[in-house]
Amino acid sequence: MWSHVYDPLGNPWLSTLCAAIPVIVLLGALGLFHIKAHIAALMGLVASLVVAIGIFGMPADMAMSATLMGAANGLMPIGWIILNVIFLYQLTERKGQFAVLRESITGVTNDRRLQLLLIAFCFGAFFEGAGGFGTPVAVTGAMLIGLGFSPLAASGLSLIANTAPVAYGALGTPINTLAKVTGLDVMQISSMVGRQMTPFAMIVPFWLLIAFCGWRNTLRIWPAALVAGVSFAIPQLIVSNTMGPELVAVIASVCSIAALVLFLKVWHPAEIYASTAGTMAGREVEAAHANGPTEKRSRHGYSTAEVVRAWLPWLVLSVMVFAWGSPTMKKALDAIFTLDIQWPGLHNLVQKMPPVVAEPHLEAAIYKLNILSTTGTGILVAGLISGLIMGYRPGEMMRVYRETFWSLRYSLMTIVAMLALGYLTRYSGVDITLGLAFSHTGVLYPFFGTLLGWLGVALTGSDTAANVLFGGLQKASAQQLGLSPVLMAAANSSGGVMGKMIDAQSIVVASTATQYYGKEGVILRYVFFHSLALACLVGLVVTAMAYLPPFTSLVLWP
């Protein structure tokens, strides 16, 4: 057995600086030196091994075991999701179905701003609520590329859009996990996160559009952005406060999709924005007049049956992702096959220590091999069904799958290395040392505690994992400072959603889905400001709820 040591150098500043070395190496290699993602990930992993073993004193065999467990999780479930989403996309692309889908969307609107709202924000929220774990970025990134968006726009904007629903992703998994870790009431946490995230559900559509096309072009379609945001925010607030976390994002996203589509039947912008690059080229592109001063829906020339066939693979995907995310389906499939592996050399051998926990606590290390019930398998089933509907023979689908795997080999390698790094920092206690630096901020803790959640997701790639990592620390710190434990536990999850766009795993997913290989550093530089700025805004909201009388009532409100 080995116990965590959070200040191995006897100096909190030096220990924190050493703990940050793997993050500095990884982000520096990606963002500053433009090193390819799979090489940067391996560099970060090597740095993590040196820090964990050489400075924090983790036994080398445990460090390697944690690394291998992270690599296994990189392949399954994350890599499995990406592989099968891109397989489905390739099937539709090669049969020309995606071209029909692209043209059919212009039948709703041929304004690129509105297409971005509908796909990245509304559809993306549904896939996050139903599946999570990288599914929304993979799907919306592929769809935006198919619609002609530039690779940077498709990648970066898919990441920015995938924020508001993250806390309730995968049918409420992050909130339910946070409740188990902290021992707090799940309904109280769900309600508090809903209150914290409501303003951001309305802000994100505008933020997304401003990032894409600038202020002036956003203000020209402000009614549509407001409809998308409000129709998401209000159901999110109501469901999170009355029903619990499981269906919050699903119900809110369906309401947002329906409201925006219906609104666009009676409203259209005065002028069409035709650019798919937006401000990506470094300058604001003016809206281009098309068909006179008002928008006219494109007549794509396809029959209703052809349009239905083009959308069918994505409808099948939606159904399968939702079905695979349901507890009933998971239970049924796990009954057929699932294997809980107590990871050798790691399970119950690492001891988490106070002040992160009230008393020493053994860390479980169980790898769940649930190949049937994992979301990626539902996506594969959707791809196979869709392939048969589109007229593919089994041999043709196998060839497409093989080619897809080969094209993703470096991306899969990157994801494996990123998850290996994340698990190593978790089991070595390196990330907790970083977290403890935030916990010593006194009266400013509501702000910095929120940023702790942001850091947790940036490091682990998962709001659920960040809640496991720092949920107990948030509760303990809040109690010591006389703050509401529910407020700060919820802040960990709410702040974490803004870290989702900069975690290395999500960036690799985005670059893979948009075929923007080798440009992960470009994507990171583009989204980093948006991630940090939004996280700081969440921190200000949480601080107001902690101290300012008009807002503290939201904490006490039952």
Side-chain angles (χ1 to χ4, degrees):
M1 186 185 298
W2 174 73
S3 299
H4 280 168
V5 179
Y6 304 127
D7 185 12
L9 299 179
N11 184 310
W13 289 98
L14 286 177
S15 296
T16 301
L17 181 61
C18 289
I21 288 175
V23 179
I24 294 171
V25 169
L26 174 62
L27 297 184
L30 277 175
L32 296 179
F33 296 101
H34 312 289
I35 295 173
K36 291 182 178 179
H38 63 284
I39 298 176
L42 291 173
M43 290 172 61
L45 179 57
V46 170
S48 293
L49 285 167
V50 171
V51 170
I53 299 170
I55 298 177
F56 281 74
M58 188 180 194
D61 57 340
M62 284 188 186
M64 291 306 302
S65 184
T67 299
L68 291 175
M69 184 177 179
N73 277 277
L75 287 174
M76 179 76 65
I78 306 301
W80 186 234
I81 288 173
I82 304 310
L83 176 61
N84 292 317
V85 165
I86 302 303
F87 168 60
L88 174 61
Y89 171 72
Q90 290 291 343
L91 290 176
T92 61
E93 180 70 24
R94 296 185 187 206
K95 283 289 185 180
Q97 299 285 12
F98 212 101
V100 179
L101 180 144
R102 179 172 61 246
E103 295 299 322
S104 72
I105 289 178
T106 64
V108 177
T109 177
N110 49 17
D111 188 291
R112 298 301 188 175
R113 299 164 295 185
L114 298 175
Q115 291 175 357
L116 178 64
L117 265 184
L118 185 61
I119 292 172
F121 181 75
C122 300
F123 282 140
F126 174 81
F127 284 110
E128 177 63 42
F133 298 103
T135 307
V137 172
V139 173
T140 59
M143 293 184 77
L144 290 174
I145 279 290
L147 287 169
F149 280 73
S150 69
L152 180 56
S155 302
L157 297 170
S158 291
L159 290 166
I160 293 173
N162 187 40
T163 48
V166 167
Y168 296 100
L171 297 179
T173 299
I175 303 298
N176 283 315
T177 302
L178 182 58
K180 291 177 183 177
V181 169
T182 59
L184 299 171
D185 181 72
V186 68
M187 275 301 303
Q188 289 185 325
I189 297 176
S190 176
S191 300
M192 191 64 67
V193 172
R195 296 166 200 176
Q196 292 171 355
M197 291 308 300
T198 292
F200 294 93
M202 293 185 281
I203 289 172
V204 167
F206 288 93
W207 196 291
L208 176 69
L209 291 170
I210 292 168
F212 173 55
C213 60
W215 283 92
R216 284 178 292 178
N217 290 318
T218 297
L219 292 176
R220 288 168 178 152
I221 62 161
W222 70 265
L226 185 63
V227 166
V230 170
S231 61
F232 186 94
I234 293 176
Q236 176 181 260
L237 180 63
I238 293 172
V239 177
S240 65
N241 279 260
T242 58
M243 295 174 58
E246 287 80 9
L247 294 176
V248 173
V250 173
I251 292 175
S253 62
V254 169
C255 291
S256 186
I257 292 169
L260 184 57
V261 170
L262 291 174
F263 181 70
L264 293 180
K265 288 184 177 293
V266 298
W267 179 92
H268 50 75
E271 49 190 11
I272 300 169
Y273 191 86
S275 170
T276 54
T279 57
M280 301 298 123
R283 62 185 180 85
E284 185 170 309
V285 182
E286 286 296 323
H289 287 276
N291 300 321
T294 59
E295 179 183 15
K296 294 181 180 178
R297 308 299 195 265
S298 296
R299 296 184 177 181
H300 45 66
Y302 296 107
S303 66
T304 301
E306 289 174 313
V307 171
V308 169
R309 280 197 297 272
W311 274 99
L312 195 55
W314 304 96
L315 295 175
V316 171
L317 174 64
S318 301
V319 171
M320 291 301 171
V321 168
F322 184 74
W324 251 255
S326 70
T328 302
M329 177 68 84
K330 282 187 177 294
K331 185 176 180 180
L333 293 174
D334 283 342
I336 298 173
F337 175 81
T338 186
L339 186 61
D340 291 336
I341 302 172
Q342 296 184 356
W343 203 261
L346 191 63
H347 178 64
N348 284 342
L349 293 178
V350 174
Q351 192 167 225
K352 188 181 287 187
M353 303 296 290
V356 181
V357 288
E359 55 186 26
H361 171 73
L362 292 176
E363 283 281 86
I366 298 177
Y367 177 68
K368 188 170 185 177
L369 184 59
N370 54 342
I371 184 67
L372 295 180
S373 65
T374 189
T375 303
T377 301
I379 297 173
L380 175 60
V381 171
L384 296 175
I385 293 173
S386 300
L388 294 174
I389 292 173
M390 287 184 283
Y392 280 96
R393 294 190 296 272
E396 290 178 306
M397 285 193 283
M398 288 183 63
R399 185 170 64 253
V400 174
Y401 200 88
R402 196 164 51 243
E403 292 171 358
T404 301
F405 176 81
W406 184 249
S407 70
L408 298 181
R409 62 193 184 280
Y410 290 121
S411 296
L412 294 174
M413 184 189 306
T414 305
I415 292 170
V416 166
M418 295 294 188
L419 267 291
L421 186 157
Y423 271 68
L424 176 59
T425 57
R426 171 188 167 186
Y427 281 99
S428 64
V430 168
D431 45 12
I432 293 177
T433 296
L434 292 173
L436 287 171
F438 285 84
S439 70
H440 296 302
T441 52
V443 71
L444 297 178
Y445 183 69
F447 179 81
F448 286 101
T450 304
L451 292 185
L452 178 57
W454 173 78
L455 176 68
V457 175
L459 290 174
T460 65
S462 165
D463 201 45
T464 301
N467 287 341
V468 171
L469 187 62
F470 293 134
L473 177 61
Q474 295 279 15
K475 179 183 177 181
S477 298
Q479 290 172 332
Q480 291 174 6
L481 294 168
L483 299 169
S484 165
V486 174
L487 173 68
M488 293 314 304
N492 194 80
S493 198
S494 297
V497 306
M498 302 308 175
K500 187 70 174 173
M501 68 180 86
I502 62 165
D503 81 81
Q505 168 193 308
S506 293
I507 289 174
V508 173
V509 169
S511 67
T512 302
T514 58
Q515 302 172 40
Y516 204 39
Y517 306 115
K519 300 293 185 180
E520 290 80 7
V522 177
I523 299 172
L524 173 63
R525 288 194 297 275
Y526 173 68
V527 299
F528 189 85
F529 164 77
H530 302 287
S531 176
L532 182 58
L534 283 166
C536 289
L537 288 177
V538 178
L540 292 175
V541 168
V542 173
T543 303
M545 294 176 73
Y547 298 126
L548 299 182
F551 299 97
T552 53
S553 59
L554 294 174
V555 179
L556 302 174
W557 178 35

